[in-house]
Amino acid sequence: MNAETKRNIRDRWIESLFEIAHLEFQNRLWLKSEYENSIGDYNECVCGYFDDLDLDNGYSDFIANGIISESEYKIVTELHSEFRKYTERTEKQNLSDKNILKDVEWINITNIGLKTWTKLKRKTESIRDKELITELENKYLKEKNAT
């Protein structure tokens, strides 16, 4: 796997973690459609993480291909496990986006996600990763200007 492919996968991984970690972003994207040129919902969030990133079977390929480090894996392992368990629960599979965002168990996952996000943000030494993290936070978490 070449460096550009790894970088693209890593960028999508960081973007996916951002979405899982930020309830405010989910509400603004999934329900309010506040972001121009961006669409999303719970199902897209799940597919973006597990299917598009090929994480259904865990992180072994990510580690083997040098996309993430062992220390990063240790940071994301709880979130991955809890997110997986949530998606596998049949009673959660047909909830509307609105009801997912009110679900105490989903809110718990986003809290784990935010702790994960914060740890990764603190631990990353990559200037490019730091720039992407800052860009996502500035673009999607700042209050929208009144027009």
Side-chain angles (χ1 to χ4, degrees):
M1 185 178 298
N2 69 38
E4 183 180 352
T5 300
K6 286 181 192 180
R7 183 72 248 170
N8 288 336
I9 293 169
R10 186 169 174 85
D11 286 354
R12 287 195 337 257
W13 175 69
I14 290 170
E15 291 164 359
S16 189
L17 291 176
F18 174 81
E19 182 172 3
I20 297 164
H22 294 91
L23 197 61
E24 171 192 347
F25 173 71
Q26 294 164 16
N27 184 46
R28 290 169 131 182
L29 179 67
W30 300 356
L31 300 183
K32 297 180 180 176
S33 302
E34 286 186 12
Y35 303 112
E36 236 177 82
N37 303 319
S38 296
I39 57 168
D41 58 24
Y42 170 75
N43 288 325
E44 285 289 324
C45 179
V46 171
C47 289
Y49 181 82
F50 288 107
D51 300 337
D52 296 351
L53 292 171
D54 198 21
L55 291 172
D56 270 329
N57 297 315
Y59 276 91
S60 57
D61 287 343
F62 262 48
I63 295 167
N65 288 311
I67 296 166
I68 69 166
S69 67
E70 284 283 343
S71 62
E72 289 170 322
Y73 170 70
K74 289 177 183 170
I75 293 170
V76 299
T77 190
E78 178 186 12
L79 174 61
H80 179 82
S81 174
E82 293 304 313
F83 191 21
R84 166 54 65 209
K85 286 182 210 171
Y86 188 87
T87 63
E88 290 175 345
R89 295 187 46 204
T90 53
E91 72 274 16
K92 305 295 183 184
Q93 292 173 357
N94 293 317
L95 289 177
S96 68
D97 291 341
K98 184 177 180 179
N99 287 333
I100 287 171
L101 294 177
K102 292 191 286 187
D103 183 6
V104 173
E105 293 173 51
W106 177 252
I107 293 168
N108 183 54
I109 290 169
T110 63
N111 288 334
I112 294 167
L114 190 55
K115 283 187 237 171
T116 301
W117 178 259
T118 302
K119 284 180 191 173
L120 282 172
K121 186 165 110 171
R122 230 184 5 246
K123 298 276 185 188
T124 191
E125 295 177 12
S126 162
I127 291 170
R128 182 165 172 171
D129 286 353
K130 287 180 187 213
E131 288 172 349
L132 177 58
I133 287 166
T134 301
E135 177 188 328
L136 290 168
E137 291 176 339
N138 288 339
K139 183 175 182 180
Y140 296 115
L141 296 181
K142 301 296 181 196
E143 286 299 316
K144 296 193 70 77
N145 295 331
T147 53

